[in-house]
Amino acid sequence: MDIRISGHQVATGDALKDHVTARLQAIADKYFSRTISADVTFGKGPHDNGFTVAIVAHVMQGLVLKASNDGMDAHGAFDGVADKIEKQLRRYMRRLKDRNAAAIAGAAEAGGYDGFAEAGYTVFQSSDADEEEAAEHMPIVAETRVDVPDASVSDAVMMLDLRHTTALLFKNSGTGAYNMVYRRGDGTIGWVEPQRATAG
């Protein structure tokens, strides 16, 4: 895994870099050894007290994990944000195992995929565990180029959650149309699908 460590007005010594590299590599080896890269940025904490650390981890094409944490010392601040990334990756791996069962159950509930044929808007209820992480305030990250993943609706909802973004544009692998999922103010997830043209 390619790990890039940088500091904004903060020095990052060899001991800290070794600690960061060892911890992130151990997390990747445990959950997803094919993790592509991770950017770790250290900065001054609120009001120049302590440290703030942000991690942007590219797990695979289309899947990005983001988290940040503050602490009075650099090692402690990093360990806190590494715990958050590890939790996200653990949830992702669990969802990968559960997604097939969930997709089957969802299709059965809706009477098969045809039940969604005319849907323009669908709401998914988030779980208690999701609400806990949704309450955390993530830093603003400017992205000049964003990949539009090819995914099922359930996978897109998972990516939305793991990326800590409010909206995700994706190409629906079932229909080939561009769809969007987004987080509503009440914590539920909205799904927008273009209306399909009917043959005349």
Side-chain angles (χ1 to χ4, degrees):
M1 176 171 61
D2 180 23
I3 300 173
R4 294 180 290 273
I5 303 166
S6 60
H8 289 169
Q9 300 179 328
V10 170
T12 55
D14 291 340
L16 180 59
K17 289 180 178 179
D18 290 345
H19 177 66
V20 169
T21 300
R23 177 74 193 276
L24 291 182
Q25 193 61 60
I27 292 173
D29 290 344
K30 183 176 180 181
Y31 294 102
F32 202 88
S33 60
R34 292 173 292 172
T35 299
I36 299 169
S37 67
D39 292 300
V40 184
T41 306
F42 288 85
K44 290 184 178 180
H47 311 294
D48 288 338
N49 292 321
F51 297 86
T52 183
V53 187
I55 296 178
V56 178
H58 296 263
V59 177
M60 62 182 191
Q61 188 69 26
L63 176 61
V64 181
L65 306 181
K66 299 176 184 178
S68 66
N69 190 54
D70 298 330
M72 292 311 296
D73 66 275
H75 282 77
F78 168 74
D79 286 338
V81 74
D83 287 344
K84 294 179 182 181
I85 289 291
E86 183 171 9
K87 181 177 180 181
Q88 291 177 29
L89 197 48
R90 183 168 62 245
R91 290 174 59 206
Y92 170 69
M93 297 307 292
R94 185 177 68 237
R95 288 187 179 196
L96 277 183
K97 293 178 182 178
D98 295 344
R99 70 177 179 176
N100 289 337
I104 292 170
E109 238 176 68
Y113 183 76
D114 289 343
F116 294 107
E118 301 304 322
Y121 180 84
T122 303
V123 174
F124 299 85
Q125 180 63 49
S126 58
S127 68
D128 292 341
D130 293 343
E131 290 171 4
E132 176 188 341
E133 287 197 6
E136 297 176 2
H137 298 287
M138 295 294 109
I140 297 172
V141 178
E143 296 178 317
T144 55
R145 297 182 65 187
V146 179
D147 292 328
V148 177
D150 192 353
S152 65
V153 176
S154 60
D155 283 352
V157 171
M158 178 175 65
M159 290 179 190
L160 175 76
D161 179 52
L162 291 172
R163 290 182 181 193
H164 290 280
T165 57
T166 56
L168 176 71
L169 177 69
F170 67 102
K171 187 174 181 181
N172 191 317
S173 57
T175 66
Y178 286 98
N179 289 194
M180 178 173 283
V181 289
Y182 65 97
R183 190 175 303 282
R184 291 158 43 93
D186 60 1
T188 56
I189 303 295
W191 168 31
V192 177
E193 181 178 40
Q195 184 173 3
R196 300 180 197 174
T198 55

